[in-house]
Amino acid sequence: MKTLAALFAIAFTASIFAEVIESDICVYGGTSGGVIAAVQGKKMGKKVVIAEFGKHLGGLTSGGLTYTDIGNKGAVGGLSRDFYRALGKVYGKEEAWTFAPSVAEREYDRLVKEHGIPVHLKQRLAAVNKRGQRITEIAMEDGTVYRAKMFIDASYEGDLMAKAGVSYHFGREANSVYGEALNGIRDKTPQHQFLVDVDPYAKAGDASSGLLPFIQPTSFGNPGDGDRSVQAYNFRLCFTKNTDNWMPIREPANYDEKKFELLGRYFDALKTAGKTVTLRNFMKIDMVTRDKTDINNNGGFSTDFIGMNHGYPEADYATREKIWNDHLDYIKGFITYLKTNPRVPENVRNEMVLWGLTRDEFPDTGGWPHQMYVREARRMVSDYVMSEKNCRYQETINDPVGLAAYNMDSHNCRRVVRNGRVENEGDVQVAPMKPYPISYRSIVPKQGQCENLFVPICLAASHIAYGSIRMEPVFMIMGQSSATAASMAIDENISVQGVNYDKLRARLITDGQILLWTNAASARGGMNPEQAAAAGLRGPRPNLPGIVLDESTAEKKGDWIESHSVAPYVGDAYIHDGNAEKGAMTVTFTPNIPESGEYQLFLISTPNPNRASNVPVIISIAEEIKTVRIDQKASAVASLGKFKLSKGKAAIVTVSNKDTDGYVVVDGLQCLPVK
């Protein structure tokens, strides 16, 4: 293994014969956040350059993650919001939060071209040279050297940060480190779990025979303890059923159905238990255009290659390439098994064969995404580390540079044996109280480590807080804030730690960034009134007549997930079933009727194409029981019918997710007197 000094010497020597590129700001990583950082730097009059490891701009936003994880649109401002408005123009609407990958990439390409930003592709970082606490230049494996006054590490892996000697962590911290409850090893993992017991041993029932593939041979550990496990990676898949734009999904060269014995046993066990399953029990299929998908992980065995990425954050390029290819082969094999193996229910096989790769997406990678979903890798350890306390408003900061709003969301980190059965471990889905601010100190290194580096993607956050922050709109927000501060530091010839926050704040607000979430901001989606009007947002659902019960007042069974993704909604949020645990979740309202009479009942939800079309709602009044099925795809307020109700708690209304064909959403119940 070559030392860092040796690597730099090689690269630096090669630079005598290669290009030396000088700029004010060098952005390493052409991800979504990297492109927006470069654009902001150029807008502030700086000479900017992008050095990108791969061959495409946009990272995951152009690499398949096109069903945008938002949390709350009102928390997204500045150039990030402008990006989604630009996509909206392509589709003839105000904003587009779902889109084709190629449309996103074209917008990123347009941005750098319009602003005259040089982009250098296929740049593999070899070494970082520092003088004291300042990076003077970075060298690539091809010998290219970049010299700049300020550097922004906009990579998903944090390679520049690490080579610059900045403190970082990867894996899960123990809950005790930052006083958290959701970090570390999870005692219970109800979501994305096996629905029935599955034998994990190579020879069923024989623990001495070893484990099936895709199960880690590690002990479960102590709940709350930290470890080096990293939440699972996958690829976000753009498939189609449109035969005019369809390519076959071929099995990988090394396909072996025996590797998927665990999946076969899972199907066998589901059949024995009498459970009916569909393809959507194994894939989250969201349509981002009329005929293109963004497919993500769903259920106990899906596209996440659980536990097979733990070495990725600190791996060399050759090892990362192997992990990358292993993930791609796994997904190809998984799909091949679903299409062809007789242990898979016929209805699942029949639907899987209808899906194909999309001919006009990812043409240079054979229809497969050019970006693996690196959900987390390294995370900086700075003078301020964002934690669960920030998400819950148990701790607040006074130097915000943007807002985060998504669930504290970790995919499973391990698949292990517990009590003689296979069990996924690590999934967490808990909503924050409301959009919360991210500290400036969390995007710059510790005092005394590096004074001209920003880290907007691998920023300082605990595992569980990062699970909320790690969304593409937020990365663009952090990229813009980083470039703004970098430009100010250049102008004043100061360190990144010495930037005057009051001046920074004033410029961020001028540029449309949203820094605080107040009651007034909530009422208009977090924006100033002009921004809200332009975006067509109206904030929370206005006051409704009659008796309105928020879902927070109802009795819940099962692990419902709180969300703010689709507005408007009653109260502070709504809940959904995660399109999982079908038949195991209910929400029960018991309204207190003030006067006897006839009332029309309405179930309130937030419509979306991924919602269920057959949600059963059971209304119990005295001896009468009535079941109504409602379609939540298009209607926000669905009538349950008219009923004669006595004064008091005469009615019980229960929403179930039994046998539903999509996400079940509950936002509230309205009881409207009939006049």
Side-chain angles (χ1 to χ4, degrees):
M1 178 70 73
K2 292 182 175 69
T3 65
L4 180 64
L7 282 170
F8 184 79
I10 293 169
F12 184 71
T13 301
S15 73
I16 297 174
F17 308 101
E19 190 174 11
V20 176
I21 299 168
E22 298 194 16
S23 63
D24 294 317
I25 301 173
C26 174
V27 179
Y28 181 69
T31 58
S32 59
V35 174
I36 295 302
V39 170
Q40 178 66 13
K42 198 65 187 290
K43 281 177 170 287
M44 295 189 71
K46 300 298 178 281
K47 185 178 180 182
V48 185
V49 64
I50 296 175
E52 159 57 25
F53 179 88
K55 296 187 290 184
H56 299 268
L57 291 179
L60 279 159
T61 301
S62 64
L65 202 170
T66 55
Y67 190 86
T68 309
D69 296 318
I70 308 162
N72 190 313
K73 294 175 185 176
V76 181
L79 294 176
S80 182
R81 192 65 176 242
D82 289 346
F83 172 79
Y84 295 104
R85 289 174 179 155
L87 299 190
K89 292 180 181 178
V90 176
Y91 293 103
K93 52 187 178 181
E94 189 69 36
E95 297 173 340
W97 300 86
T98 63
F99 41 86
S102 56
V103 171
E105 185 167 0
R106 284 196 293 272
E107 175 59 17
Y108 288 122
D109 289 341
R110 184 195 68 79
L111 283 169
V112 296
K113 183 177 181 180
E114 178 182 290
H115 291 89
I117 300 167
V119 176
H120 299 264
L121 303 175
K122 297 187 287 186
Q123 297 295 283
R124 297 161 64 107
L125 182 64
V128 175
N129 191 29
K130 291 174 70 178
R131 182 179 297 119
Q133 295 177 27
R134 295 189 72 86
I135 301 171
T136 56
E137 58 189 22
I138 63 176
M140 304 298 139
E141 286 189 345
D142 67 0
T144 307
V145 170
Y146 296 83
R147 295 172 183 160
K149 298 171 184 176
M150 289 284 157
F151 291 84
I152 297 175
D153 185 347
S155 68
Y156 291 118
E157 294 83 5
D159 288 341
L160 175 53
M161 168 189 72
K163 289 184 182 295
V166 172
S167 301
Y168 66 86
H169 182 82
F170 74 91
R172 297 181 288 187
E173 300 92 348
N175 277 325
S176 58
V177 174
Y178 297 114
E180 298 174 304
L182 299 175
N183 212 331
I185 296 170
R186 307 299 301 150
D187 184 27
K188 295 180 180 179
T189 304
Q191 299 291 337
H192 302 293
Q193 189 59 266
F194 289 88
L195 301 178
V196 291
D197 289 355
V198 181
D199 190 295
Y201 302 117
K203 182 179 179 181
D206 182 1
S208 66
S209 65
L211 298 175
L212 293 174
F214 311 141
I215 302 174
Q216 284 86 65
T218 58
S219 62
F220 188 84
N222 298 314
D225 282 358
D227 63 9
R228 287 299 197 181
S229 297
V230 178
Q231 62 173 305
Y233 300 167
N234 68 354
F235 287 84
R236 300 289 286 255
L237 306 174
C238 187
F239 286 177
T240 187
K241 290 182 180 179
N242 179 357
T243 55
D244 293 332
N245 196 29
W246 185 96
M247 293 192 301
I249 303 169
R250 303 191 188 283
E251 66 182 51
N254 60 355
Y255 177 66
D256 181 359
E257 69 174 18
K258 294 178 182 177
K259 291 181 180 179
F260 291 87
E261 174 62 18
L262 177 60
L263 180 57
R265 287 190 191 174
Y266 187 27
F267 278 118
D268 293 345
L270 288 167
K271 182 178 180 180
T272 300
K275 291 186 176 292
T276 301
V277 295
T278 69
L279 182 59
R280 282 163 177 75
N281 290 109
F282 297 86
M283 291 180 173
K284 182 177 183 288
I285 304 174
D286 291 309
M287 303 305 299
V288 294
T289 69
R290 182 178 57 83
D291 58 0
K292 293 179 181 179
T293 68
D294 172 358
I295 293 177
N296 196 11
N297 182 84
N298 191 48
F301 198 113
S302 186
T303 60
D304 278 0
F305 200 15
I306 299 172
M308 302 302 175
N309 60 341
H310 294 175
Y312 183 89
E314 292 192 311
D316 58 26
Y317 294 138
T319 304
R320 283 185 184 168
E321 184 176 4
K322 182 180 184 306
I323 293 171
W324 182 297
N325 289 331
D326 287 347
H327 276 67
L328 193 55
D329 284 346
Y330 164 78
I331 290 183
K332 291 178 180 179
F334 170 62
I335 292 168
T336 299
Y337 194 95
L338 292 179
K339 287 197 304 180
T340 63
N341 197 281
R343 295 164 83 176
V344 179
E346 186 177 13
N347 65 301
V348 176
R349 280 182 279 136
N350 289 344
E351 183 176 359
M352 191 70 251
V353 298
L354 297 177
W355 291 106
L357 295 167
T358 312
R359 191 182 301 278
D360 62 353
E361 299 290 343
F362 313 122
D364 62 341
T365 49
W368 297 96
H370 52 67
Q371 176 65 57
M372 183 168 68
Y373 194 174
V374 178
R375 289 190 169 96
E376 65 176 341
R378 298 182 179 100
R379 303 185 304 278
M380 183 164 62
V381 178
S382 188
D383 287 323
Y384 191 86
V385 177
M386 299 292 295
S387 74
E388 183 182 336
K389 291 180 178 179
N390 298 105
C391 304
R392 296 184 183 275
Y393 274 82
Q394 296 169 348
E395 186 173 301
T396 57
I397 49 95
N398 57 8
D399 57 349
V401 286
L403 299 177
Y406 201 72
N407 291 342
M408 289 176 277
D409 177 13
S410 172
H411 282 234
N412 281 306
C413 299
R414 300 183 300 158
R415 179 176 286 145
V416 295
V417 176
R418 193 181 192 193
N419 301 323
R421 58 167 284 176
V422 62
E423 185 171 315
N424 295 337
E425 183 275 314
D427 183 272
V428 182
Q429 299 176 44
V430 177
M433 286 182 60
K434 55 186 177 181
Y436 60 91
I438 300 170
S439 170
Y440 175 72
R441 289 163 290 166
S442 71
I443 63 172
V444 299
K446 282 183 178 181
Q447 189 81 35
Q449 288 192 341
C450 188
E451 63 182 34
N452 65 334
L453 175 68
F454 289 86
V455 186
I457 291 182
C458 295
L459 77 172
S462 71
H463 160 74
I464 196 62
Y466 191 79
S468 171
I469 295 169
R470 62 171 182 84
M471 304 302 153
E472 293 288 290
V474 180
F475 287 155
M476 289 191 273
I477 292 168
M478 293 297 105
Q480 180 177 353
S481 294
S482 293
T484 303
S487 300
M488 295 174 68
I490 291 171
D491 291 343
E492 299 183 33
N493 193 26
I494 56 176
S495 70
V496 299
Q497 294 85 4
V499 170
N500 182 289
Y501 176 72
D502 289 339
K503 291 182 180 179
L504 174 62
R505 179 179 181 276
R507 179 59 193 253
L508 295 178
I509 292 173
T510 297
D511 289 340
Q513 295 276 52
I514 300 166
L515 305 182
L516 293 175
W517 191 261
T518 64
N519 289 336
S522 175
R524 56 177 181 266
M527 303 178 178
N528 63 46
E530 293 77 17
Q531 290 172 322
L537 296 181
R538 296 295 180 266
R541 190 179 299 283
N543 291 332
L544 296 169
I547 304 158
V548 179
L549 283 71
D550 184 48
E551 92 288 333
S552 62
T553 66
E555 179 183 345
K556 305 173 191 68
K557 177 184 177 184
D559 293 294
W560 292 87
I561 301 166
E562 186 175 298
S563 181
H564 312 81
S565 298
V566 180
Y569 40 78
V570 174
D572 294 327
Y574 61 90
I575 56 176
H576 64 80
D577 70 341
N579 199 19
E581 303 286 333
K582 295 301 185 182
M585 298 191 195
T586 59
V587 176
T588 300
F589 293 95
T590 309
N592 191 5
I593 304 301
E595 295 182 9
S596 298
E598 188 176 18
Y599 290 80
Q600 187 164 10
L601 304 185
F602 299 90
L603 184 69
I604 305 169
S605 63
T606 56
N608 194 283
N610 69 356
R611 307 306 195 221
S613 65
N614 58 345
V615 179
V617 184
I618 302 97
I619 304 100
S620 301
I621 303 170
E623 300 299 321
E624 179 187 357
I625 299 177
K626 178 181 179 181
T627 299
V628 178
R629 289 193 176 269
I630 62 173
D631 185 347
Q632 295 191 321
K633 291 181 180 293
S635 178
V637 182
S639 176
L640 304 177
K642 296 179 181 179
F643 303 87
K644 291 184 178 180
L645 302 180
S646 302
K647 181 178 179 180
K649 297 183 178 182
I652 300 173
V653 179
T654 300
V655 184
S656 170
N657 72 341
K658 181 176 175 59
D659 298 329
T660 48
D661 57 6
Y663 284 73
V664 175
V665 173
V666 183
D667 187 26
L669 177 74
Q670 181 185 21
C671 307
L672 188 64
V674 176
K675 297 180 180 179

